[in-house]
Amino acid sequence: MVSDFSKYSLVIGRFQPLHMGHMEVIRKCADESEHLTIGIGSAQYSHTTENPFTAGERYLMIEETLKAEGITNYSIVPVEDLNRYSVWVSHVVSMCPPFACVYSNNPFTKRLFTEAGFDVKASPLYNRAMYSGTEVRRRMIADEDWQSLVPPAVVTVIDKIDGVGRLKSFNGKDAEL
Ligand code: ATP
Ligand code: MG
């Protein structure tokens, strides 16, 4: 990697939706990096129980939250899945601004980027029992407090698109097309 980009970093997640755990990592990485790329993984999926929100909706959640927090040294890049793991890193690289460092605690992501020669840094999990996309979606369906697990700007975006209504309308099942 070209040394000029040695302080350019990547974090990648599905952000279904963006929650406080993601934000802990994003804040830390944006602070430590000259530039942070936030990759929106599984970008092609939406309207399923695991992936209710579109890449564009997730983009807006991230953008509005970072604006509210005054973070400006970032890019957001939607990245579609590629079901061929041996070339996944090249695929991510082809879509994103240059980066030298990857923050992840996903063993699979860590392994693939390490093999490709990137500097992979561990990112600790914050309050994982509460701060997980699965828990946020569970609470939305159960009419429990999900709002306290996500940044205020995410609540606004989800309310505007009736995200909870969308998730509930699937009734726990994905579409059969
Ligand atoms: P889901 O339950 O839908 O899989 P998730 O909470 O695991 O959601 P993802 O969108 O899958 O979040 O993104 C995964 C990445 O987000 C992880 O590799 C990790 O780096 C980061 N992440 C997720 N939850 C936390 C957390 N509580 N603290 C810190 N980082 C987190
Ligand atoms: Mg996950």
Side-chain angles (χ1 to χ4, degrees), residues 49-68:
T49 52
E50 294 280 295
N51 290 289
F53 307 116
T54 67
E57 290 162 350
R58 290 177 270 163
Y59 192 110
L60 199 57
M61 292 175 202
I62 298 167
E63 188 179 56
E64 296 285 316
T65 300
L66 297 197
K67 195 196 295 171

Side-chain angles (χ1 to χ4, degrees), residues 23-84:
M23 280 311 298
E24 290 284 345
V25 177
I26 288 173
R27 264 184 228 114
K28 177 175 174 286
C29 297
D31 189 49
E32 288 178 7
S33 307
E34 208 173 313
H35 181 272
L36 175 66
T37 297
I38 302 166
I40 301 179
S42 301
Q44 77 271 39
Y45 296 116
S46 69
H47 297 81
T48 73
T49 52
E50 294 280 295
N51 290 289
F53 307 116
T54 67
E57 290 162 350
R58 290 177 270 163
Y59 192 110
L60 199 57
M61 292 175 202
I62 298 167
E63 188 179 56
E64 296 285 316
T65 300
L66 297 197
K67 195 196 295 171
E69 297 218 2
I71 299 172
T72 55
N73 60 330
Y74 70 94
S75 304
I76 305 171
V77 180
V79 182
E80 293 186 5
D81 286 347
L82 202 63
N83 292 318
R84 193 163 168 191

Side-chain angles (χ1 to χ4, degrees), residues 47-49 52-53 57 136-143 146-147 155 157-173:
H47 297 81
T48 73
T49 52
F53 307 116
E57 290 162 350
V136 176
R137 298 191 300 276
R138 187 196 69 71
R139 291 189 186 194
M140 285 174 163
I141 291 167
D143 283 327
W146 57 272
Q147 291 90 339
V155 178
V157 172
I158 289 175
D159 284 349
K160 275 187 186 165
I161 62 174
D162 186 26
V164 175
R166 181 189 298 172
L167 201 50
K168 285 182 177 174
S169 73
F170 306 145
N171 212 8
K173 284 193 189 153

Side-chain angles (χ1 to χ4, degrees), residues 13-15 19 22 50 106 128 132-134 137:
R14 287 184 302 111
F15 307 111
H19 56 66
H22 293 132
E50 294 280 295
N106 179 307
R128 181 65 174 161
S132 90
T134 302
R137 298 191 300 276

